[in-house]
Amino acid sequence: MKENSRNRLRKIREQVFVALFQYGFYGSDEFNDQLELYFENTAGFIVGDEGELSEDINDSVEDIVAAAKEKLSKIVGKLGEIDHILEKGISGWKLNRICKTDIAILRLAVYEMKFDDDIPEKVAINEAVELAKQFGGDASASFINGVLAKIITNVAE
């Protein structure tokens, strides 16, 4: 995969992560309103430096945001299935007891691993760990790596 494509996907993934993080606070009732506010007012600044993408991404900010919205819609449509998979991977824990940052990253990673044929499982795990290092707590990266490894192992059995 070319660097341009990898950076584009990373920017999309960051947008989806932020939106899923918000979902953890608002739930489905207020989520759509909050999501529109986010994409209208904030997303462009997070995608690039004050709305400007780096030179290694050919897409516009609008293209990245549109792709993030599309991916997010697919994930939200599968949240029940994703959460069911996660519950198997975090046995002994309830989803509502896990840090909202980690849940958002895990939901994104499980979607990419199980429902996005364009992303290999190893890439989804690696990207989830990188998001955890960037946005999570001290133990987030190892926790997320462990949960995702367990999900792969359980599915393989």
Side-chain angles (χ1 to χ4, degrees), residues 98-99 102 129 132-133 135-147:
I98 295 174
C99 163
D102 293 351
V129 169
K133 288 177 183 175
F135 297 105
D138 293 340
S140 290
S142 60
F143 172 72
I144 286 169
N145 190 46
V147 170

Side-chain angles (χ1 to χ4, degrees), residues 46-103:
I46 293 175
V47 170
D49 183 9
E50 297 187 18
E52 297 296 323
L53 289 169
S54 61
E55 293 176 6
D56 58 354
I57 299 177
N58 294 331
D59 294 39
S60 68
V61 171
E62 292 80 18
D63 292 337
I64 298 290
V65 170
K69 283 181 176 181
E70 181 180 339
K71 186 171 194 165
L72 179 65
S73 175
K74 291 176 183 177
I75 293 171
V76 170
K78 295 215 175 272
L79 267 182
E81 293 174 72
I82 291 168
D83 286 352
H84 181 71
I85 293 168
L86 279 173
E87 286 168 353
K88 289 181 180 178
I90 56 170
S91 58
W93 288 78
K94 296 210 181 274
L95 290 181
N96 63 357
R97 304 264 312 169
I98 295 174
C99 163
K100 289 185 183 353
T101 304
D102 293 351
I103 287 296

Side-chain angles (χ1 to χ4, degrees), residues 4 7-8 12 17 25-26 35 47-49 55 57 61 67-68 74 83 99 107 111 126 136 139 153:
N4 179 353
N7 288 335
R8 177 185 182 278
I12 293 168
F17 158 72
F25 287 99
Y26 297 111
L35 188 62
V47 170
D49 183 9
E55 293 176 6
I57 299 177
V61 171
K74 291 176 183 177
D83 286 352
C99 163
R107 283 175 167 163
Y111 172 80
N126 183 58
T153 301

Side-chain angles (χ1 to χ4, degrees), residues 1 6 10 13 109-114 116-131 144-145 148-149 151-152:
M1 184 178 294
R6 195 176 1 253
R10 186 164 282 149
R13 195 174 281 113
V110 168
Y111 172 80
E112 289 184 340
M113 291 166 55
K114 302 300 176 192
D116 190 335
D117 295 333
D118 295 332
I119 300 177
E121 284 183 336
K122 290 181 181 182
V123 171
I125 292 171
N126 183 58
E127 291 296 324
V129 169
E130 290 303 314
L131 279 173
I144 286 169
N145 190 46
L148 297 176
I151 288 170
I152 289 176

